[in-house]
Amino acid sequence: MGSVEQIVQLHGHTDKAWQLAWNPVEPLVASCSTDKTVRLYSYTGLVHPKFTLSTSISTGHTKTVRTIAWSPDGKLLATGSFDSSVILWEKQPAEEDKDDPSTGDDWDSITRIEGPESECKCVAFSRSGEYLATCSRDKTVWVFSVYPDDYEVSSVLMEHTQDVKCVAWHPKEDILASSSYDDTIKLYHDDRDDEWYPFATLTDHASTVWCMSFSPCGNYLASSSDDLTIRLWERHDDEWHTIKVLNGTHERSIYSVSWGRGRGGLGWLASGAGDGRINVWEMTRQPQEPIEARLITTQENSHGVSDVNAVAWCRRDGYTDMLGSVGDDGCLRIWRITPD
Amino acid sequence: RYLWSDDPDSKGPLSGLAGSREESDEDSEEGEEIDNIEIFELLRGIYDPEHPLTLEQLQVVNPSHIFIRPPNPPSPGAATNVLVEFTPTVPHCGMSTIIGLALRVRLLRALPERMKVDIRVRKGSHQSENALNKQLNDKERVAAALENTALLEVVEKCLAGEQPTLI
């Protein structure tokens, strides 16, 4: 077995923390909470990274900020709330005559997106940054085209029969996945007219599918569920089939999976759940053999007795062994994973 | 009553209720395990949303339908699972989601966080048993429901009676 070492625990939220997002370009990590704020931390140093609060954004959302995502260029931050709205944020240019540098960066809301009729559950930017997908309890998935200071509705997808929990984009192509309280995963393409349509429904889960993450290579999808399994799906053109089920790894609902770069190859998969446990697997595959998931390490009670609501890998060069997690304790914790 | 299930939320800010807990948990957290009778004491005085009767009087809750599963192996830092099964008065009871939510809110406020609560209807006691169980144990939907002013008012009314603590 390898090991997991906690680099830091960052307190600050006064209520449940629901999700975290690593900026893909800058050394920044963001977390969001029922306390309606987003906290941004910067970090420096490779061997022993030091985390410093950069700013706390009072979002103006009137309910829980449930979800948060960066655009691929790292310049835009999207927040989605139980108040149904999505807000896009942009860092303001630093003022040279700023008296007090300790107040941190200023982030301004540049666009407020309305559309879905009930709680926003997840937001995600496509790999090009061209599209933003959101999903909601009103059973819809919305795809927006994002422009500087503006947006346009590209499609409203009403394929699910229940609350939609997660949206995730393929890392290389314009393929969107959504997962739901209806126990299914749907996959979508766009056509030449920019209309999105479903091309596959994955039905193997037996309960709510809370979260999904594509492998960095794009050939696999991991999904985590209230049925206490993590499923790995393999792509064959437009068809995706279960190739492995990770059973018995959690005892309560698995709220989050994240598939990171790890140390190359197929990368590392992390999961976080209501049982407080975080698991990390190394994913490998030999020619002509099925994919293998080798458990590198497990962290029990990673947020004390609290649920883990999200885990996410840093994807920046030099930091791909760094995992973040947030929980009902309002904490953002940063871990370093070392394989044996 | 359908606010939690399908309708868009009514507007209005409400903060922190899902995570708020009574301060008085300290003793019980250090002391002996909480048993099913103590959990029942917390729940018996909750009022039915439609009748001026308590859940005990209507036999919706019953101490023998409350199950505690301590951590195995025993460890002070680990979670204890609590399962509360309740019996709706009729199998088509439209108020069951509200009753379940009231049970959950009472326990959320009174129990230490290390006690992880599942709320279910008794097997065979409701025509939408699976749908109800799924909804009552979806933490995201519960958290959102508690930020819904109209729904929370109904729940608070059920909880308006005596507010027992574990001390």
Side-chain angles (χ1 to χ4, degrees):
Chain A
M1 286 285 271
S3 66
V4 50
E5 166 213 358
Q6 183 176 285
I7 296 174
V8 67
Q9 49 176 308
L10 302 161
H11 299 275
H13 286 301
T14 57
D15 210 322
K16 289 187 174 76
W18 286 97
Q19 209 180 13
L20 77 144
W22 295 92
N23 187 298
V25 180
E26 306 284 329
L28 271 179
V29 59
S31 61
C32 61
S33 164
T34 295
D35 71 11
K36 308 184 187 80
T37 70
V38 167
R39 291 175 74 82
L40 282 175
Y41 295 89
S42 60
Y43 55 94
T44 56
L46 205 55
V47 183
H48 301 288
K50 289 262 177 291
F51 285 75
T52 318
L53 180 68
S54 166
T55 188
S56 171
I57 305 174
S58 300
T59 59
H61 282 298
T62 56
K63 293 182 179 178
T64 288
V65 184
R66 171 67 181 91
T67 173
I68 190 168
W70 294 98
S71 61
D73 64 5
K75 290 184 175 153
L76 280 181
L77 179 69
T79 55
S81 164
F82 284 172
D83 72 8
S84 317
S85 70
V86 171
I87 299 179
L88 299 183
W89 304 83
E90 194 175 51
K91 188 161 95 174
Q92 295 311 296
E95 295 168 33
E96 289 192 11
D97 58 348
K98 203 166 171 181
D99 295 334
D100 183 6
S102 68
T103 54
D105 294 325
D106 278 336
W107 290 76
D108 278 3
S109 64
I110 53 164
T111 307
R112 187 185 175 89
I113 297 177
E114 311 259 3
E117 289 176 1
S118 60
E119 298 97 71
C120 176
K121 300 290 178 82
C122 188
V123 290
F125 283 95
S126 67
R127 80 204 146 97
S128 62
E130 194 181 344
Y131 300 107
L132 176 74
T134 74
C135 63
S136 146
R137 184 168 61 84
D138 68 6
K139 306 168 191 172
T140 63
V141 172
W142 292 56
V143 182
F144 299 93
S145 298
V146 183
Y147 311 109
D149 299 342
D150 199 13
Y151 70 93
E152 196 174 278
V153 178
S154 179
S155 287
V156 181
L157 298 156
M158 292 183 280
E159 300 299 319
H160 285 291
T161 58
Q162 297 281 351
D163 190 356
V164 189
K165 297 296 196 186
C166 176
V167 279
W169 289 92
H170 190 275
K172 295 181 174 172
E173 295 167 48
D174 279 342
I175 296 174
L176 175 66
S178 65
S179 71
S180 166
Y181 186 87
D182 70 11
D183 309 350
T184 71
I185 295 169
K186 305 262 180 186
L187 294 161
Y188 315 83
H189 277 313
D190 62 340
D191 62 18
R192 289 203 183 115
D193 298 326
D194 218 20
E195 280 289 318
W196 293 80
Y197 63 92
F199 67 86
T201 301
L202 315 184
T203 57
D204 294 351
H205 275 297
S207 190
T208 301
V209 186
W210 279 105
C211 187
M212 297 171 295
S213 182
F214 283 97
S215 63
C217 65
N219 292 331
Y220 305 94
L221 176 73
S223 58
S224 71
S225 168
D226 182 55
D227 69 12
L228 307 187
T229 69
I230 294 166
R231 281 182 178 269
L232 303 176
W233 310 80
E234 187 178 22
R235 178 184 191 176
H236 296 280
D237 299 319
D238 276 357
E239 292 188 18
W240 294 73
H241 296 290
T242 297
I243 43 156
K244 197 165 195 66
V245 183
L246 301 175
N247 261 318
T249 61
H250 286 287
E251 285 155 48
R252 294 185 70 84
S253 222
I254 311 171
Y255 295 122
S256 184
V257 277
S258 176
W259 200 324
R261 292 167 56 194
R263 294 195 176 165
L266 290 179
W268 293 351
L269 181 70
S271 65
D275 58 10
R277 185 182 299 152
I278 292 174
N279 289 316
V280 179
W281 292 270
E282 181 182 46
M283 311 303 289
T284 54
R285 178 163 204 181
Q286 303 301 325
Q288 312 304 322
E289 296 286 324
I291 195 167
E292 281 295 321
R294 186 180 65 89
L295 189 67
I296 297 178
T297 188
T298 287
Q299 177 67 43
E300 302 285 352
N301 306 319
S302 59
H303 284 253
V305 293
S306 298
D307 293 6
V308 180
N309 292 324
V311 290
W313 290 104
C314 185
R315 285 162 209 272
R316 294 178 63 231
D317 289 344
Y319 294 98
T320 56
D321 58 355
M322 208 156 69
L323 181 76
S325 65
V326 288
D328 280 355
D329 58 356
C331 251
L332 166 61
R333 292 173 197 249
I334 311 293
W335 313 87
R336 170 163 285 153
I337 311 302
T338 311
D340 44 15
Chain B
R1 76 171 71 170
Y2 300 109
L3 283 171
W4 191 18
S5 304
D6 291 305
D7 287 356
D9 274 358
S10 65
K11 301 289 177 195
L14 250 161
S15 65
L17 282 150
S20 68
R21 283 165 197 284
E22 305 271 331
E23 292 296 323
S24 52
D25 295 337
E26 302 298 323
D27 293 346
S28 54
E29 200 148 0
E30 310 230 329
E32 290 173 20
E33 275 299 330
I34 296 160
D35 64 20
N36 61 322
I37 304 294
E38 287 169 286
I39 304 265
F40 177 71
E41 289 295 327
L42 295 170
L43 303 176
R44 61 190 290 184
I46 298 174
Y47 281 96
D48 183 271
E50 289 181 316
H51 309 285
L53 295 168
T54 66
L55 298 187
E56 181 187 25
Q57 287 165 329
L58 292 167
Q59 299 186 330
V60 171
V61 291
N62 179 328
S64 63
H65 298 162
I66 298 170
F67 308 92
I68 316 266
R69 188 160 55 86
N72 182 25
S75 120
T80 293
N81 290 291
V82 178
L83 170 62
V84 175
E85 293 184 340
F86 70 100
T87 311
T89 47
V90 287
H92 53 271
C93 176
M95 282 291 151
S96 295
T97 57
I98 303 288
I99 292 171
L101 194 57
L103 294 170
R104 186 166 278 290
V105 172
R106 169 59 55 82
L107 295 180
L108 207 58
R109 292 176 182 173
L111 291 181
E113 198 183 355
R114 70 183 164 79
M115 304 194 76
K116 307 252 177 182
V117 177
D118 291 303
I119 309 262
R120 303 175 68 87
V121 289
R122 287 288 283 176
K123 203 167 172 49
S125 71
H126 198 280
Q127 60 189 19
S128 313
E129 186 179 316
N130 292 338
L132 261 174
N133 288 340
K134 195 169 186 182
Q135 186 172 351
L136 290 171
N137 294 295
D138 181 317
K139 75 179 278 187
E140 187 178 51
R141 293 186 67 160
V142 169
L146 297 181
E147 288 186 277
N148 178 318
T149 321
L151 191 54
L152 192 68
E153 264 173 31
V154 178
V155 170
E156 292 291 3
K157 247 185 228 168
C158 301
L159 300 175
E162 194 189 345
Q163 297 271 342
T165 65
L166 287 164
I167 307 299

